[in-house]
Amino acid sequence: MLNASLSLNPDYVIAPVRRRLFGSFVEHMGRCVYTGIYEPGHPTADEDGFRGDVLELTREMGVELVRYPGGNFVSGYRWEDGVGPVAQRPVRRELAWHSLETNEVGVDEFVRWARKADVEVMYAVNLGTRGVAEALDVHEYMNHEGGTQLSDLRRENGSEKPHGVKLWCLGNELDGPWQLGHKTAHEYGRLAAETARALRQAEPDLELVACGSSSSSMPTFGEWESTVLELAYEEVDHISLHAYYEVLDGDVDSFLASAADMDHFIDSVVATADAVGARLKSKKKITLSFDEWNVWYMKRFQAEARTEWEVAPRVIEDQYDVTDAVVVGNLLISLLRHSDRVAVACQAQLVNVIAPIRSEPGGPAWRQTTFHPFALTSRLARGKVLRVETTSPTYSTKRFGDVPVVDSVATHDEETGDTVVFVVNRHRSEPVDLRVALAAFGDVEVAEAWTVHDPDGSATNTESDPDRVVPQPQTATIADGDLHVVLPPVSWTAVRLTPTS
């Protein structure tokens, strides 16, 4: 058994817990929308055609914000196709994912769903095949009170009040040659700045997200962020990051250390943004929108060639195991640890498409393994994020070198006095005897403790066995002012401590 320890103090604060870190993503891709969130005729469907079972799981998961409608989809999307009488809406070729888009669900329907789910909408505008005028049009339709052509059209379509969307993405992944309307950094930076200025003339207090690199492995990474921000620094609030992780060539040890890569990615973008701010002599700090992140077995997807044009085809419906869930939990730890600069984060996607929730047409919806660390972190992380000093053995990985076996973050809520420790054991065979020094917190007791783990790291949840993997109660004790817990191999654990009465 290995040994590790954590040291934390309620005075050593990184930043408040940002509730927007618990975001998700709904794209018109595969079955995320159709037979995902929307399926008229389903036994649980409401009067608007939304699946009640998926809505219930979305609320249980603790999703705070949802990015919509894409993703690669948005770079060819005509938003006006999705408004007005459904029977009159056109069916279009959807080039990003080689499918047919019926436009049954558009901006009005999605906002209606979001209100039922009690989530904030983060809207992405098309800056691939469209530009400033179209961005102003969709903003007028969604946010203007009334008395103009497009705001009155919204009211005629049944949405009397403005949708009030405050957070807007200025396009999606336009550094990628796969993207419709792919641009150079200079071309995109100019367009993002022009669009941002126009949107602020319409509504000054919008929050705007500029596209960063599609991944840190892009050949233009760093240079892209620098050029875009040189042109748009004072016009935008956030810059985006996207990252997906998978087991490559059977290297599970590196996969379990994926959060080390996320840490480096975040730190690199922060350093670049701050360097641009310094050159511009700006007092403003750009924050980060990590608005696509997840485990995605991309190599499997790339091996599946699509030839038929279908409505809502089955696309990247990855089935996640316990190891994937532990990595997702560790990525949430990384995002919380950087909450001083990461303002928004969206796990991609919500339903069916690389998703924590799965559903079948006419059938059930269920929680994948990755649902559980997200739901528990969203429920338990309150108050402020604390700086944690970790003493841990390391292990060697091919991709990231030596990394700590144990990774952790903690939160503290001054109102309730609750402290929560989130921790992973990345080791594939060794348990870890973990000690956490709690003297700075006074007299506390363990209120609850949960572990996501299974002796079979490939265990999954399926339609026939949806609860094969669920959080298990974890033994955690306090003695001599220290928390003591034994972490199983390949596990994610959360322990909530509360003041003794």
Side-chain angles (χ1 to χ4, degrees):
M1 183 178 293
L2 304 176
N3 295 287
S5 63
L6 308 178
S7 179
L8 53 150
N9 187 299
D11 292 332
Y12 299 160
V13 174
I14 295 175
V17 174
R18 297 184 191 251
R19 298 305 305 169
R20 280 176 168 177
L21 294 184
F22 303 106
S24 189
F25 181 27
V26 167
E27 180 171 5
H28 285 251
M29 175 184 181
R31 297 192 310 113
C32 188
V33 174
Y34 305 114
T35 73
I37 68 170
Y38 177 80
E39 188 182 347
H42 188 272
T44 70
D46 64 16
E47 68 281 1
D48 294 312
F50 300 124
R51 287 184 59 148
D53 53 356
V54 172
L55 269 169
E56 184 178 343
L57 288 174
T58 302
R59 297 186 195 105
E60 179 189 332
M61 190 173 151
V63 175
E64 298 276 348
L65 168 145
V66 175
R67 181 171 174 244
Y68 177 84
N72 293 354
F73 170 83
V74 80
S75 291
Y77 182 48
R78 290 176 267 196
W79 67 270
E80 59 270 32
D81 287 349
V83 302
V86 173
Q88 297 176 20
R89 297 181 188 180
V91 175
R92 300 280 190 189
R93 293 178 305 174
E94 202 293 289
L95 300 181
W97 306 112
H98 196 84
S99 59
L100 295 178
E101 174 55 51
T102 67
N103 287 298
E104 291 174 72
V105 172
V107 292
D108 294 316
E109 288 84 7
F110 183 75
V111 170
R112 195 172 303 132
W113 177 87
R115 287 173 179 158
K116 293 182 181 191
D118 194 25
V119 300
E120 179 184 2
V121 174
M122 179 184 192
Y123 190 80
V125 299
N126 178 357
L127 291 187
T129 58
R130 308 187 106 179
V132 178
E134 292 85 358
L136 287 173
D137 283 350
V138 69
H139 175 271
E140 180 183 325
Y141 183 88
M142 294 180 75
N143 278 21
H144 196 73
E145 182 71 33
T148 66
Q149 179 187 7
L150 293 173
S151 61
D152 286 346
L153 178 61
R154 182 199 69 242
R155 298 172 76 173
E156 291 172 16
N157 289 337
S159 297
E160 182 71 21
K161 295 182 179 179
H163 294 325
V165 175
K166 292 296 183 184
L167 187 57
W168 294 70
C169 300
L170 302 174
N172 175 76
E173 292 188 356
L174 287 158
D175 64 322
W178 59 85
Q179 200 76 202
L180 286 174
H182 164 60
K183 294 171 173 55
T184 67
H186 190 268
E187 289 169 336
Y188 171 71
R190 282 285 308 275
L191 178 58
E194 291 166 2
T195 307
R197 279 190 287 269
L199 286 171
R200 290 203 191 281
Q201 282 182 261
E203 189 173 354
D205 60 347
L206 295 179
E207 286 185 62
L208 304 176
V209 183
C211 291
S213 294
S214 305
S215 77
S216 59
S217 63
M218 292 294 290
T220 54
F221 172 59
E223 179 185 353
W224 174 276
E225 282 78 4
S226 182
T227 300
V228 168
L229 288 177
E230 287 276 4
L231 294 164
Y233 194 92
E234 295 298 340
E235 312 304 331
V236 302
D237 303 286
H238 318 289
I239 190 162
S240 70
L241 299 80
H242 294 174
Y244 295 99
Y245 299 96
E246 63 182 311
V247 178
L248 297 173
D249 301 320
D251 184 6
V252 178
D253 286 332
S254 293
F255 176 59
L256 284 163
S258 295
D261 180 75
M262 179 180 268
D263 289 339
H264 181 69
F265 190 5
I266 292 170
D267 292 342
S268 298
V269 175
V270 167
T272 303
D274 287 351
V276 173
R279 287 199 300 273
L280 296 176
K281 299 179 174 58
S282 176
K283 295 181 180 179
K284 177 180 180 178
K285 288 286 186 185
I286 295 290
T287 48
L288 278 51
S289 177
F290 216 129
D291 46 46
E292 288 188 35
W293 68 269
N294 206 351
V295 172
W296 175 7
Y297 287 88
M298 196 177 300
K299 285 192 176 295
R300 298 177 194 168
F301 168 70
Q302 291 168 340
E304 300 173 359
R306 292 195 50 75
T307 57
E308 300 298 322
W309 294 92
E310 302 174 63
V311 175
R314 291 180 181 267
V315 177
I316 57 170
E317 298 190 4
D318 285 355
Q319 184 169 285
Y320 291 121
D321 62 21
V322 172
T323 304
D324 299 322
V326 171
V327 170
V328 164
N330 200 173
L331 296 174
L332 286 162
I333 286 171
S334 175
L335 291 168
L336 278 170
R337 182 165 50 233
H338 291 92
S339 56
D340 56 333
R341 295 303 292 270
V342 179
V344 180
C346 302
Q347 186 188 36
Q349 297 183 14
L350 181 63
V351 193
N352 291 327
V353 178
I354 51 172
I357 300 171
R358 285 289 302 276
S359 69
E360 280 298 315
W366 67 95
R367 308 164 189 83
Q368 290 229 66
T369 60
T370 55
F371 179 100
H372 297 297
F374 189 110
L376 281 167
T377 305
S378 179
R379 177 171 70 83
L380 295 173
R382 291 289 188 272
K384 298 177 180 178
V385 182
L386 302 183
R387 193 172 309 280
V388 177
E389 294 298 324
T390 303
T391 302
S392 167
T394 61
Y395 73 104
S396 179
T397 71
K398 292 178 183 177
R399 295 179 61 197
F400 310 123
D402 291 342
V403 297
V405 169
V406 169
D407 194 24
S408 181
V409 76
T411 62
H412 178 69
D413 188 343
E414 292 180 346
E415 290 187 11
T416 64
D418 286 357
T419 302
V420 183
V421 177
F422 303 95
V423 60
V424 290
N425 175 6
R426 295 163 166 165
H427 205 285
R428 296 174 66 191
S429 59
E430 290 287 342
V432 172
D433 188 326
L434 179 70
R435 305 277 176 165
V436 184
L438 299 174
F441 296 88
D443 294 330
V444 296
E445 59 188 1
V446 176
E448 56 183 313
W450 302 98
T451 290
V452 175
H453 163 75
D454 195 281
D456 178 4
S458 63
T460 63
N461 292 342
T462 62
E463 179 181 358
S464 60
D465 191 3
D467 296 320
R468 168 68 177 83
V469 177
V470 295
Q472 298 292 332
Q474 168 71 37
T475 300
T477 59
I478 295 176
D480 299 324
D482 288 354
L483 171 67
H484 176 218
V485 58
V486 175
L487 308 174
V490 189
S491 64
W492 174 94
T493 299
V495 181
R496 180 170 68 91
L497 306 162
T498 194
T500 55
S501 54

